[in-house]
């Protein structure tokens, strides 16, 4: 490993059996999380998934859900407005495409937890978006499908730290996961439950880390007792990619520099100590960190520390292929077998 605690490993693309390499199909995927909304438009052929357009925005759908149990009208409105922007992007990608672009839209932890999720799905349906609020195990399955497409066929752990939940999955890369679990531990949820001071007190951080660790440990014990011997941890989503961007002090985010970078525990701990010591106003100015992610980044780093401790591992590999790629891969396999919503 390089002295700065970060290096890159070779990318391996997913091969899609049964697809004609010369005849790509274009798909769109939207992931509406507790903190972030993301869009991926991609072509799929026998050689894999080829990104056409990507976009994201921090909309904080899960604001207050942990305490109130409902999605706030203002939060739903923020997402609705972002969906208009996403639909414009998809429309821009229609040049030369016959019959529209199949769109799959999913919502995860915040919508799962909210009593008024039906109100939210009805709001997006007016935009022509058929939203599925997916259970945690389905989220884990799609995250593993996307993340593992960048790795050779080895036993692999995948961790997806979201705003309201964390998914941990184990299996052979490129195959169906053998073990998967969604935990109600996310960076926004942990922030709201534990981190009340600005900057957070060390006692608050230790309580949050201990709580997360105690929750994760039984999963890894079960997996190891079953004989699974994964030695690689892939980390996906905004907390993990932000770790690399902050470490490299990227003024402009570059997914090519982030994808398949390895972060060791020493680097992670140093980032946690430095960011946790800053008041929120200063965290917003950290190079490589989106200002709107600053309120929840410390909790995200604490969760990643707890995952590594529970797994007994000293590093993780950050993957830019994640649930969005999993949604695209899944949609490509289903395409033609049933009618798919198109835009």
């Amino acid at each position: 490993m390089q002295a700065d605690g970060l290096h890159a490993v070779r990318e391996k693309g997913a091969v899609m059996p049964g697809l004609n390499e010369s005849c790509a199909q274009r798909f769109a995927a939207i992931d509406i999380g507790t903190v972030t909304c993301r869009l991926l438009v991609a072509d799929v052929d026998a050689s894999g998934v080829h990104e056409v357009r990507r976009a994201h925005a921090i909309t904080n759908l899960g604001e207050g859900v942990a305490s109130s149990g409902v999605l706030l009208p203002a939060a739903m409105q923020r997402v609705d407005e972002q969906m208009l922007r996403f639909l414009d992007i998809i429309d821009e990608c229609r040049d030369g495409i016959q019959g529209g672009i199949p769109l799959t839209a999913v919502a995860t932890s915040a919508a799962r937890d909210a009593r008024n999720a039906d109100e939210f799905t009805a709001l997006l349906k007016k935009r022509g978006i058929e939203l599925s609020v997916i259970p945690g195990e389905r989220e884990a399955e799609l995250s593993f499908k996307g993340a593992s497409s960048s790795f050779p066929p080895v036993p692999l752990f995948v961790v997806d730290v979201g705003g309201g939940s964390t998914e941990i999955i184990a299996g052979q890369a490129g195959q169906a996961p053998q073990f998967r679990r969604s935990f109600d531990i996310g960076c926004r949820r942990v922030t709201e439950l534990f981190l009340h001071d600005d900057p957070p007190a060390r006692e608050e951080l230790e309580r949050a880390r201990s709580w997360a660790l105690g929750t994760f440990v039984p999963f890894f014990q079960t997996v190891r007792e079953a004989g699974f011997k994964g030695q690689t941890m892939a980390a996906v989503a905004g907390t993990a990619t932000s770790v690399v961007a902050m470490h490299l002090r990227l003024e402009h985010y570059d997914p090519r520099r982030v994808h398949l970078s390895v972060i060791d525990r020493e680097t992670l701990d140093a980032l946690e100590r430095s960011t946790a010591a800053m008041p929120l106003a200063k965290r917003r100015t950290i190079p490589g960190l989106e200002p709107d992610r600053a309120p929840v980044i410390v909790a995200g780093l604490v969760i990643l520390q707890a995952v590594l401790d529970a797994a007994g591992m000293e590093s993780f590999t950050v993957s830019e292929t994640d649930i969005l790629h999993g949604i695209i891969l899944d949609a490509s396999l289903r395409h033609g077998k049933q009618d798919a919503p198109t835009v």
Side-chain angles (χ1 to χ4, degrees):
M1 180 174 293
Q2 295 177 0
D4 66 358
L6 184 154
H7 68 280
V9 295
R10 183 174 61 87
E11 179 175 0
K12 177 184 181 296
V15 175
M16 297 299 297
L19 292 179
N20 186 335
E21 189 164 359
S22 64
C23 185
Q25 299 172 332
R26 183 161 295 178
F27 298 88
I30 292 174
D31 169 33
I32 302 175
T34 301
V35 173
T36 309
C37 291
R38 300 183 304 138
L39 165 72
L40 176 65
V41 180
D43 292 335
V44 183
D45 60 22
S47 65
V49 178
H50 310 283
E51 184 175 318
V52 176
R53 289 284 297 276
R54 180 195 288 264
H56 80 281
I58 293 178
T59 50
N60 286 311
L61 178 65
E63 179 184 1
V65 169
S67 57
S68 69
V70 296
L71 299 172
L72 299 177
M76 290 189 284
Q77 184 62 34
R78 289 194 296 267
V79 175
D80 184 49
E81 291 173 358
Q82 185 59 42
M83 292 303 104
L84 289 177
R85 300 183 186 102
F86 283 177
L87 290 174
D88 285 344
I89 292 172
I90 296 171
D91 191 55
E92 293 169 4
C93 296
R94 292 185 61 182
D95 289 349
I97 302 298
Q98 299 293 325
I101 301 174
L103 168 64
T104 304
V106 305
T108 54
S109 178
R112 281 198 298 267
D113 293 347
R115 296 191 299 272
N116 61 339
D118 288 348
E119 180 183 343
F120 181 54
T121 58
L123 178 66
L124 296 194
K125 190 169 185 178
K126 294 177 182 178
R127 304 293 186 194
I129 298 174
E130 296 288 342
L131 180 68
S132 296
V133 179
I134 58 174
E137 288 207 349
R138 177 61 172 161
E139 182 180 0
E141 178 184 350
L142 291 170
S143 291
F144 188 81
K145 185 186 291 285
S148 70
S149 68
S150 290
F151 289 82
V154 298
L156 180 71
F157 287 106
V158 172
V159 56
D160 182 346
V161 178
S165 67
T166 292
E167 283 67 49
I168 304 178
I169 316 101
Q172 190 84 357
Q175 300 181 15
Q178 296 171 247
F179 306 90
R180 58 191 177 192
R181 176 83 183 273
S182 180
F183 300 88
D184 286 334
I185 299 174
C187 57
R188 172 165 284 279
R189 193 187 301 268
V190 167
T191 300
E192 293 181 359
L193 289 176
F194 292 98
L195 309 185
H196 307 301
D197 292 346
D198 183 26
R202 184 51 53 179
E203 293 79 8
E204 292 177 332
L205 295 166
E206 291 304 327
R207 283 197 296 271
R209 188 180 296 104
S210 178
W211 176 66
L213 177 62
T215 307
F216 294 146
V217 162
F219 172 84
F220 286 100
Q221 288 178 335
T222 298
V223 170
R224 299 296 191 190
E225 289 170 1
F228 186 81
K229 298 180 179 180
Q231 299 299 316
T232 300
M233 174 79 71
V236 300
T239 294
T241 57
S242 294
V243 169
V244 180
M246 288 190 294
H247 180 64
L248 295 177
R249 301 181 67 82
L250 298 179
E251 293 292 347
H252 302 285
Y253 189 82
D254 185 351
R256 294 169 298 180
R257 296 186 66 185
V258 172
H259 186 49
L260 297 181
S261 295
V262 177
I263 293 289
D264 62 26
R265 181 57 186 268
E266 182 179 355
T267 300
L268 178 64
D269 288 351
L271 283 171
E272 185 271 336
R273 286 192 299 270
S274 63
T275 56
M278 298 177 188
L280 176 58
K282 187 172 182 180
R283 286 203 302 275
R284 291 186 186 276
T285 68
I286 297 174
L289 180 65
E290 291 179 281
D292 287 344
R293 190 175 291 280
V296 298
I297 189 61
V298 174
L301 299 176
V302 167
I303 293 168
L304 284 174
Q305 289 175 322
V307 170
L308 288 181
D309 286 344
M313 302 176 75
E314 289 299 321
S315 67
F316 57 83
T317 302
V318 178
S319 176
E320 281 280 345
T321 61
D322 54 24
I323 189 172
L324 286 172
H325 292 76
I327 293 169
I328 294 282
L329 289 167
D330 187 70
S332 70
L333 294 174
R334 289 186 289 105
H335 188 64
K337 297 180 181 179
Q338 59 188 27
D339 292 334
T342 59
V343 292

